[in-house]
Amino acid sequence: MNSIATEGLDIAYDEALIVQALDMHIPQGKVTAIIGPNGCGKSTILKAVGRILKPQKGMVYLSGEDIRKLSTKEVAQKMAILPQTPTAPSGLTVGELVAYGRFPHQRGFGKLTFEDKKIVKWALDVTRLGEFECREVDTLSGGQRQRVWIAMALAQQTDLILLDEPTTYLDLAHQLEVLELLYNLNRNQGCTIIMVLHDLNLAARFSDYIIAIRGGDIISQGTPEQVMTSSVLKSAFNIDAEIVKEPRTGRPVCITYDLMK
Amino acid sequence: MKKTGYTIGKSLGIIILLSTLMFLLAVISMASGKMNLSPMEVLNVLMAKGTLQQNLIVFEFRLPRIVLSILVGIGMGVSGCIMQSLLKNDMASPGTLGISSGSGLFVMLYIAIFSTKAIYSPYILPMLAFAGGIMAAFVIFLLSYRRGKEISPTGLILTGVATSSGYGALSLMITLRLNKTQYDFAQRWQAGSLWGDEWRYIMVLLPWVLFFCLYAFYKSRMLNTLHLGNQTATGLGVAVKREFIGLTLASVALSSGSVALGGNFFFVGMISPHLGRKLVGPNHKLLLPASALVGALVVLVADTIIRTVSLGADIPTGIIITILSTPYFLYLLAKSN
């Protein structure tokens, strides 16, 4: 079963075609990572799937439905998308920002119902932000802030969450913290997670399915073991990589690499 | 020390305080002027127990001017607040984006062609100002829009300042060809003279301001999400393009109304939302009323000062506001780097 599928997708910025005739299938209930070199179109694909970018041609299916036939609000009830490094207006509190996640479920003036408040509290608890509810978002650390945005997406109560490089600008520990949070959301709440990641080893460690992109095309996809091979990394990044099985997690890990000579 | 955010209770308190302040100031303003009344006398007049002369002073001379000040301030405050949130830029305002100057240019053109005596219908100037404001907004959009890219906030402001000087220069060219009466009117209008202080103008401005303020307030949820950025807003299910256009029209309409009947109040539109945000935080359900009240207070204070402290000549209200606001503007600039 696919949560997201694309068919013959063409995506362009101005005249330059970034992605051409993309057919992509993303499994439901899994953590999927999209990897690839800079400028390969991975963020572009994520934005097109999340209807932030309008594709030139082709179709995006959300659980089998044509995404263009759904209103943007209906899409937001099924799919949350976090752009890369979003910024919160200064003075906004954690609780307020997370409550904005209830937007697609509200009408008119949008007063929070008892149900809304319960969901916001749940989202804060899951992301361990309960004690920060009244803090201003811009006084938090980078890792905490990223968790706040994830909490907002959670308050949207969607089965599907799209994230564009959720670990950018975070140190090692905070990267793990964010990815573990997403992993647990998948395992415990059954959310389908689709994220663009830069770090190959983290992608291999936390995802069930990896899609490697180069020049707007899928060059390999499958389990981490199937995709994290020296031949795939060679054609994707033009590197000569050495892959071993990591002893602690049993996942493939790239221990050293060089530019191709 | 941990900094905690704004709570709704505290912010509501501030809004009530601002409203009370405005009411008190309005009473003081009604009492002061060339012929002083005591606050008690003013209250008597308001309760229909005043003398004929007192009634005339309050209802025909002072009250219309006070109501106009409040409406102009509200219009500018809310308009600026919408622009700052839509563009995520503290410097955005009808003044800095050249919207007011665009409105002004159309008003000047009309005065030059038909003279001040031709303002027979109170509807003409607001409509013209609205057309001019829309024209200015459209020009800015055309100049700063790049396909597939988000509009850069700095580029937008620079474009606004540039086009604004352009409209200013054109307006000046027009004023130089005017006769004495027209020229006087134009000069005082440019400086913010609150010239439309007659009930027949206010009866046009009041529903206009009320309608668009209520519209913006109803859309405060949209403003909250749009303030997070267009991509995040799309992700939350906001029809970004439609809401952006609707709110832009409302903000241009509000500033045009104020500009047409009050004159060019460059700073009110920028400073009121900024102060409002400091007082109640970024939630638009509270921020819009706060910006409106701050705007109203600023114009009302300035006008009361002008009317009380007779400085020899009849000085336009806008000048006092500019003098009062320049330091704050410089402070903002210094802080933004």
Side-chain angles (χ1 to χ4, degrees):
Chain A
M1 174 87 176
N2 295 315
S3 65
I4 290 264
T6 71
E7 205 179 273
L9 210 58
D10 279 8
I11 317 166
Y13 280 120
D14 292 325
E15 305 304 304
L17 212 56
I18 309 280
V19 174
Q20 204 168 6
L22 179 80
D23 294 324
M24 185 175 73
H25 302 275
I26 290 175
Q28 182 144 32
K30 299 255 181 331
V31 178
T32 300
I34 303 176
I35 59 167
N38 291 338
C40 73
K42 53 191 190 303
S43 287
T44 311
I45 293 171
L46 196 80
K47 281 182 195 158
V49 167
R51 53 98 173 75
I52 284 176
L53 265 184
K54 209 173 152 226
Q56 252 59 28
K57 227 167 64 185
M59 311 282 266
V60 174
Y61 295 100
L62 181 60
S63 317
E65 278 180 280
D66 182 354
I67 202 168
R68 288 175 308 184
K69 295 230 167 77
L70 302 168
S71 74
T72 179
K73 197 169 164 178
E74 284 169 322
V75 175
Q77 290 168 1
K78 297 169 194 280
M79 171 173 77
I81 176 162
L82 279 191
Q84 199 177 343
T85 58
T87 48
S90 69
L92 196 70
T93 63
V94 173
E96 280 177 309
L97 182 60
V98 175
Y100 287 170
R102 296 306 297 154
F103 184 91
H105 303 277
Q106 293 173 316
R107 290 156 156 270
F109 194 59
K111 195 164 164 37
L112 288 179
T113 62
F114 179 70
E115 178 73 10
D116 288 330
K117 284 181 188 155
K118 230 168 63 185
I119 292 167
V120 169
K121 190 177 176 315
W122 165 81
L124 287 169
D125 287 343
V126 173
T127 49
R128 290 180 290 113
L129 289 165
E131 55 173 315
F132 295 114
E133 191 180 345
C134 296
R135 282 275 293 275
E136 289 181 21
V137 179
D138 47 5
T139 62
L140 301 180
S141 75
Q144 291 167 333
R145 228 177 295 162
Q146 192 57 269
R147 288 203 330 252
V148 176
W149 288 102
I150 293 173
M152 185 189 85
L154 285 181
Q156 239 172 295
Q157 291 245 292
T158 56
D159 295 330
L160 184 61
I161 302 178
L162 271 53
L163 304 103
D164 194 354
E165 299 197 22
T167 54
T168 318
Y169 304 130
L170 298 184
D171 63 34
L172 293 177
H174 286 118
Q175 288 183 7
L176 283 180
E177 206 174 66
V178 165
L179 289 171
E180 258 170 26
L181 169 65
L182 294 170
Y183 185 84
N184 290 335
L185 281 172
N186 168 260
R187 292 305 189 258
N188 303 335
Q189 322 282 342
C191 296
T192 304
I193 309 272
I194 305 170
M195 54 189 171
V196 167
L197 276 185
H198 248 306
D199 190 304
L200 297 177
N201 290 339
L202 289 175
R205 179 163 164 187
F206 288 100
S207 44
D208 307 303
Y209 198 77
I210 297 183
I211 300 177
I213 308 276
R214 197 193 61 191
D217 290 321
I218 296 175
I219 54 166
S220 173
Q221 54 187 325
T223 61
E225 286 76 16
Q226 289 167 329
V227 177
M228 277 285 275
T229 60
S230 29
S231 73
V232 170
L233 296 189
K234 181 182 158 192
S235 60
F237 295 95
N238 203 28
I239 52 170
D240 172 18
E242 191 147 344
I243 311 289
V244 298
K245 199 171 186 177
E246 204 237 305
R248 288 197 201 167
T249 58
R251 295 291 179 109
V253 60
C254 162
I255 48 166
T256 180
Y257 54 95
D258 284 294
L259 285 173
M260 291 302 290
K261 298 269 155 43
Chain B
M1 204 184 93
K2 279 186 190 172
K3 198 183 172 204
T4 53
Y6 303 87
T7 60
I8 293 187
K10 209 168 80 183
S11 302
L12 268 180
I14 288 175
I15 287 180
I16 292 169
L17 191 77
L18 286 173
S19 316
T20 321
L21 213 62
M22 193 178 84
F23 178 75
L24 285 178
L25 196 67
V27 172
I28 294 172
S29 188
M30 271 184 264
S32 47
K34 298 226 166 66
M35 212 186 114
N36 281 321
L37 302 173
S38 74
M40 272 321 287
E41 280 172 319
V42 170
L43 287 179
N44 271 337
V45 173
L46 289 180
M47 287 184 293
K49 280 188 276 184
T51 65
L52 221 59
Q53 193 196 20
Q54 286 168 342
N55 280 348
L56 183 75
I57 290 174
V58 171
F59 286 123
E60 289 309 312
F61 297 130
R62 288 181 193 166
L63 199 56
R65 199 168 173 84
I66 288 163
V67 174
L68 181 70
S69 305
I70 291 174
L71 288 178
V72 165
I74 289 176
M76 281 312 224
V78 172
S79 171
C81 179
I82 297 174
M83 288 181 190
Q84 294 188 358
S85 299
L86 284 183
L87 302 170
K88 294 131 217 126
N89 190 319
D90 282 359
M91 293 286 151
S93 73
T96 40
L97 290 176
I99 309 284
S100 311
S101 324
S103 296
L105 178 60
F106 274 43
V107 171
M108 281 304 127
L109 270 173
Y110 183 82
I111 292 168
I113 298 171
F114 298 105
S115 96
T116 46
K117 287 207 184 65
I119 313 174
Y120 47 82
S121 160
Y123 295 95
I124 288 180
L125 285 191
M127 290 317 285
L128 276 172
F130 184 55
I134 292 289
M135 183 270 309
F138 196 69
V139 166
I140 285 183
F141 183 74
L142 274 187
L143 290 175
S144 51
Y145 181 73
R146 299 279 174 277
R147 243 179 81 192
K149 285 195 188 124
E150 284 213 20
I151 295 173
S152 118
T154 330
L156 202 72
I157 300 291
L158 285 177
T159 318
V161 171
T163 49
S164 175
S165 338
Y167 303 136
L170 280 177
S171 300
L172 186 66
M173 247 172 70
I174 295 168
T175 40
L176 291 177
R177 299 169 162 274
L178 297 176
N179 67 35
K180 183 86 175 55
T181 359
Q182 287 170 324
Y183 182 79
D184 271 4
F185 177 84
Q187 272 302 310
R188 293 167 42 69
W189 178 87
Q190 284 276 3
S193 59
L194 289 171
W195 68 273
D197 54 353
E198 286 171 44
W199 287 117
R200 61 191 191 110
Y201 295 118
I202 288 167
M203 283 311 143
V204 175
L205 191 61
L206 183 71
W208 179 277
V209 169
L210 203 66
F211 174 78
F212 288 108
C213 280
L214 284 177
Y215 172 82
F217 189 61
Y218 179 70
K219 292 283 181 190
S220 50
R221 203 161 68 94
M222 303 294 170
L223 280 167
N224 280 341
T225 39
L226 285 167
H227 202 189
L228 302 176
N230 294 353
Q231 295 194 5
T232 312
T234 307
L236 286 170
V238 182
V240 170
K241 220 180 253 171
R242 198 178 67 207
E243 301 300 341
F244 200 96
I245 292 173
L247 285 161
T248 305
L249 286 180
S251 98
V252 171
L254 282 169
S255 85
S256 315
S258 299
V259 167
L261 297 179
N264 204 351
F265 292 96
F266 187 84
F267 284 106
V268 181
M270 182 168 56
I271 279 168
S272 316
H274 202 268
L275 277 171
R277 209 171 287 119
K278 280 212 159 146
L279 290 171
V280 302
N283 180 355
H284 286 80
K285 287 177 191 172
L286 299 160
L287 176 57
L288 285 171
S291 308
L293 287 169
V294 172
L297 275 171
V298 169
V299 180
L300 197 54
V301 167
D303 192 54
T304 310
I305 293 177
I306 286 285
R307 289 195 301 108
T308 333
V309 189
S310 184
L311 297 167
D314 206 359
I315 295 169
T317 315
I319 292 200
I320 287 282
I321 296 179
T322 308
I323 293 171
L324 291 178
S325 323
T326 308
Y328 189 72
F329 181 59
L330 291 174
Y331 156 77
L332 269 187
L333 268 181
K335 227 189 68 177
S336 74
N337 286 329

